[in-house]
């Protein structure tokens, strides 16, 4: 398995320092002084979040909506063949098919999702169409493809020569039924936005676990698992081994912990503890949560070291932060 990620590993001192800046810049204000809330804000998972944030920020900083910004942000990652875990150029399943999962959710609680979608470069935009043009939340497989084509999306081959080569190499040596799991092979983009009006939205899109079973769907397109937004409270998104996130309905849980009064980092930590309690093999998997609350405060937590995320606010210029981890 190739890993392109170069993590920015902060020293303990550096982590504490940047952590305090983040906290200082994003500490929620008391409800009697809402004007001092930090906004707009965009946060997203992994190194590739920086490019996504830049596109989202372009919209947010000009007064655009959280929803438009969320979609525009993750479309950058979907279109980038260098990102081998999202959209075009994503690793295929064990049979060589690139199958994509994505969802989107706005401040009204409207949501749309596609899963097991093939041959469409921007599943998040199809998910938005599902949200806006149908009475449904989720379309999958051929039905999702037919819907996308009817909506004017172009059918194209998403398997790049690089991903095909890696798949063939994997196939030649891997006879196990369960795909190799480690913390380097699942880099979904989940992105959360808070716009100038104070509305929250989010989007999540992925090619899923590499070399998964054909037909496998992870947490990313499942509302409440890979993404959840409640405009009264905050939003959360997840990355990592989707099966474990689904078992805990992870992102809904993070938002519920924030509703109970926990700050985003503590809410993510508590959700990680839940994942741990439901998955005996937790030390061998990665799960990371990223959360943004209504006041613009950001927090994250993961099982294994190595998960990072990108933050852009009026005070933080699209910087990467390492998530705190249980291990
Ligand atoms: C999945 N959670 O399909 C996704 C993969 C992922 O970072 O998060 N990658 O299980």
């Amino acid at each position: 398995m190739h890993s392109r990620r170069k993590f920015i590993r902060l020293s303990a001192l550096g982590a504490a320092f940047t952590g305090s800046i983040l906290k200082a810049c994003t500490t929620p204000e008391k409800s009697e002084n809402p004007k001092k809330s930090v906004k707009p804000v965009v946060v997203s998972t992994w190194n590739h979040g920086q490019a996504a944030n830049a596109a989202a920020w372009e919209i947010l900083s000009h007064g655009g909506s959280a929803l438009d910004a969320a979609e525009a942000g993750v479309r950058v990652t979907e279109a980038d063949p260098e990102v081998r875990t999202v959209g075009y150029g994503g690793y295929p399943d064990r049979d060589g098919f690139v199958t994509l999962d994505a969802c989107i959710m706005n401040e009204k609680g409207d949501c749309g999702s596609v899963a097991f979608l093939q041959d469409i470069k921007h599943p998040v935009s199809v998910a938005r169409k599902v949200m806006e043009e149908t009475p449904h939340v989720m379309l999958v497989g051929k039905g999702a493809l037919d819907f996308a084509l009817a909506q004017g999306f172009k059918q194209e081959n998403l398997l790049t020569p690089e991903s095909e080569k890696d798949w063939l190499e994997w196939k030649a040596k891997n006879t196990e039924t369960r795909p190799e799991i480690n913390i380097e092979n699942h880099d979904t983009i989940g992105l959360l936005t808070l716009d100038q009006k104070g509305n929250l939205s989010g989007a999540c899109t992925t090619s899923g676990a590499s070399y998964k079973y054909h037909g496998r769907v992870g947490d990313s397109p499942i509302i409440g698992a890979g993404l959840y937004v409640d405009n009264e409270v905050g939003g959360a998104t997840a990355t990592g081994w989707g099966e474990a996130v689904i078992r805990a309905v992870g992102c809904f849980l993070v938002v519920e912990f924030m509703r109970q009064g926990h700050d985003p980092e503590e809410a993510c930590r508590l959700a990680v503890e839940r994942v741990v309690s439901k998955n005996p093999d937790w030390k061998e998997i990665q799960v990371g949560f990223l959360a943004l609350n209504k006041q613009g405060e950001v927090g994250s937590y993961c099982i294994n070291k190595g998960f990072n995320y990108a933050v852009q606010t009026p005070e933080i210029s699209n910087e990467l932060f390492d998530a705190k981890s249980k291990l």
Side-chain angles (χ1 to χ4, degrees), residues 46 85 101 185-189 206-209 216-220 238-243 245:
W46 303 112
T85 45
D101 297 339
N185 75 347
H186 29 60
D187 302 358
T188 294
I189 184 145
T206 190
S207 52
R216 180 267 192 187
V217 170
D219 60 314
S220 304
T239 182
W241 184 234
E243 281 71 4
V245 177

Side-chain angles (χ1 to χ4, degrees), residues 226-292:
L227 178 78
Y228 197 70
V229 176
D230 183 325
N231 208 42
E232 289 176 13
V233 177
T237 189
T239 182
W241 184 234
E243 281 71 4
V245 177
I246 293 171
R247 278 186 200 111
V249 198
C251 287
F252 180 73
L253 189 59
V254 172
V255 171
E256 290 308 294
F257 282 134
M258 290 196 287
R259 193 190 308 279
Q260 291 168 16
H262 298 289
D263 68 33
E265 182 182 302
E266 179 62 4
C268 290
R269 191 190 68 76
L270 290 167
V272 163
E273 289 299 339
R274 181 72 60 86
V275 169
V276 163
S277 75
K278 299 283 178 202
N279 292 274
D281 62 344
W282 63 273
K283 286 188 180 165
E284 277 87 59
I285 59 173
Q286 174 65 302
V287 167
F289 293 110
L290 175 62
L292 167 67

Side-chain angles (χ1 to χ4, degrees), residues 81-99:
E82 299 292 313
V83 178
R84 310 287 288 283
T85 45
V86 179
Y88 176 56
Y91 285 119
D93 63 18
R94 56 194 298 120
D95 299 322
F97 299 98
V98 179
T99 75

Side-chain angles (χ1 to χ4, degrees), residues 203-214:
C204 186
T205 175
T206 190
S207 52
S210 49
Y211 317 133
K212 60 197 174 185
Y213 275 79
H214 188 59

